[in-house]
Amino acid sequence: MTVTTLRDGGVTSRRAWTGPGDRRELQWCTGGVAMSEVPSTGAARGGVAARLEALRARLRAEPKVLVAYSGGADSALVAAVAAAELGDAAVAVTAVSASLPARERRAAREFARAHGITHVEVATDELDRPEYVANSGDRCFHCKTALLDVLVPLAGLSGAAIALGTNVDDLGDHRPGRRAATLRGAIAPLVDAGLTKADVREASALLGLETAAKPAAACLSSRVAYGDPVTAEVLARIEAAEEALRDMGFPTCRVRAHADGTVARLEVPAGDHDRVSAVRAEIDAAVRGAGFAFCALDLQPFRSGRLNVLLGLPTVSPAS
């Protein structure tokens, strides 16, 4: 195996997984940024079925696994495959706090129950951490740290690896949480198997998982403009407004909170703009009823990670 060394700011470290399958991750923590190089061999060329088999092999390589499981398409695939390969030696763990919408918590429980996945919930304390509440560009680092502060002791007691739902596409996005995961030794089976977000959806469909077409659903804190404090009150406001929009027939939507949680900026797909305009009075009433003082529609279509522009970073494809 060829190892390429990358340097950034004089800090160089590297890690490679060389388990079953030809798809291999070479990952470095360089100046706090995780990078990955995946050779174009074996499973990388073999299509989604081959990459799914590589995922199975990667998980079989671990005697026990704790899957950080939010119920989204990525972590659901990891949890389902881990349960199929390892049985009760695989446990899906959902972090519960004010940043997890109640709808997502229920969906995670139902999916685990339907697919015979051992599932537990743990409380995390990120909202008690000033560095998280401050909501700077590295908020996700502190969120992931809070999660790992709970998972690492559990993994140590059981001798399990901690598996995340990071996919290959995530490596090119602004994800400070990856750094926290790397520092704590978590594994990324989807990356090791070479699965992109599109691959995750296709593989999930092959397995008959209902999450194959589930829209991306980042935590509620991701809706708060960087620099504005993240509070339980603002998160509850966002959740209530998004629930109202979904009940009105807009399943793909984001309510972004600005000006210390007083202004709601709505994002919906471009094809829904006319429908929003047609019921704007009802939407305005619902959003202000959730606690916002103002409601505005963003004329740009919905994109994951739109708030990254406040950090001078690119946004993510709407397909993600």
Side-chain angles (χ1 to χ4, degrees):
M1 177 178 64
T2 301
V3 175
T4 303
T5 301
L6 300 182
R7 297 182 182 274
D8 183 8
V11 180
T12 304
S13 62
R14 53 191 173 178
R15 183 179 69 185
W17 176 68
T18 56
D22 293 324
R23 187 75 167 185
R24 297 182 179 125
E25 178 198 25
L26 308 182
Q27 187 177 66
W28 299 263
C29 181
T30 56
V33 179
M35 302 182 185
S36 182
E37 175 183 292
V38 187
S40 299
T41 59
R45 292 198 305 259
V48 171
R51 290 192 280 280
L52 180 56
E53 184 53 42
L55 176 62
R56 292 188 176 105
R58 177 65 184 97
L59 289 166
R60 285 197 303 270
E62 301 293 340
K64 298 179 180 180
V65 171
L66 292 183
V67 179
Y69 167 64
S70 66
D74 300 318
S75 63
L77 177 61
V78 175
V81 174
E85 298 299 327
L86 300 175
D88 290 339
V91 178
V93 184
T94 299
V96 177
S97 74
S99 67
L100 177 68
R103 175 192 292 259
E104 293 301 312
R105 183 179 180 182
R106 289 193 301 270
R109 286 175 175 170
E110 292 166 3
F111 179 90
R113 189 179 302 115
H115 295 279
I117 299 167
T118 302
H119 178 221
V120 298
E121 295 179 337
V122 296
T124 52
D125 66 354
E126 61 266 30
L127 283 170
D128 294 328
R129 302 185 180 213
E131 58 273 22
Y132 177 87
V133 173
N135 196 24
S136 63
D138 64 350
R139 181 198 65 241
C140 291
F141 174 86
H142 302 296
C143 179
K144 193 70 72 179
T145 297
L147 171 62
L148 291 167
D149 282 348
V150 175
L151 294 187
V152 167
L154 294 176
L157 288 172
S158 62
I162 298 171
L164 305 181
T166 305
N167 66 61
V168 170
D169 290 337
D170 293 334
L171 300 178
D173 188 20
H174 177 63
R175 304 266 175 151
R178 274 206 319 273
R179 179 162 54 95
T182 299
L183 292 172
R184 304 296 280 275
I187 65 173
L190 298 176
V191 172
D192 292 336
L195 288 153
T196 64
K197 187 69 173 189
D199 292 338
V200 166
R201 295 197 182 282
E202 186 174 344
S204 298
L206 287 173
L207 295 177
L209 304 181
E210 57 270 34
T211 48
K214 183 176 181 179
C219 78
L220 292 171
S221 297
S222 69
R223 276 74 147 167
V224 182
Y226 291 113
D228 285 0
V230 176
T231 67
E233 292 76 18
V234 170
L235 298 180
R237 203 173 293 168
I238 293 167
E239 182 175 9
E242 290 192 352
E243 281 296 299
L245 283 168
R246 291 190 181 94
D247 290 344
M248 295 171 72
F250 300 96
T252 301
C253 64
R254 290 290 186 273
V255 174
R256 312 286 191 190
H258 296 263
D260 290 329
T262 61
V263 176
R265 176 173 57 82
L266 313 186
E267 293 181 21
V268 297
D272 284 341
H273 280 191
D274 287 345
R275 289 203 301 126
V276 167
S277 295
V279 291
R280 61 185 180 275
E282 292 90 337
I283 289 176
D284 180 70
V287 171
R288 288 191 295 108
F292 289 96
F294 302 97
C295 176
L297 173 65
D298 194 320
L299 297 181
Q300 291 291 317
F302 161 70
R303 281 182 181 271
S304 294
R306 277 290 298 283
L307 286 173
N308 286 349
V309 300
L310 298 179
L311 302 175
L313 298 170
T315 57
V316 182
S317 165
S320 67

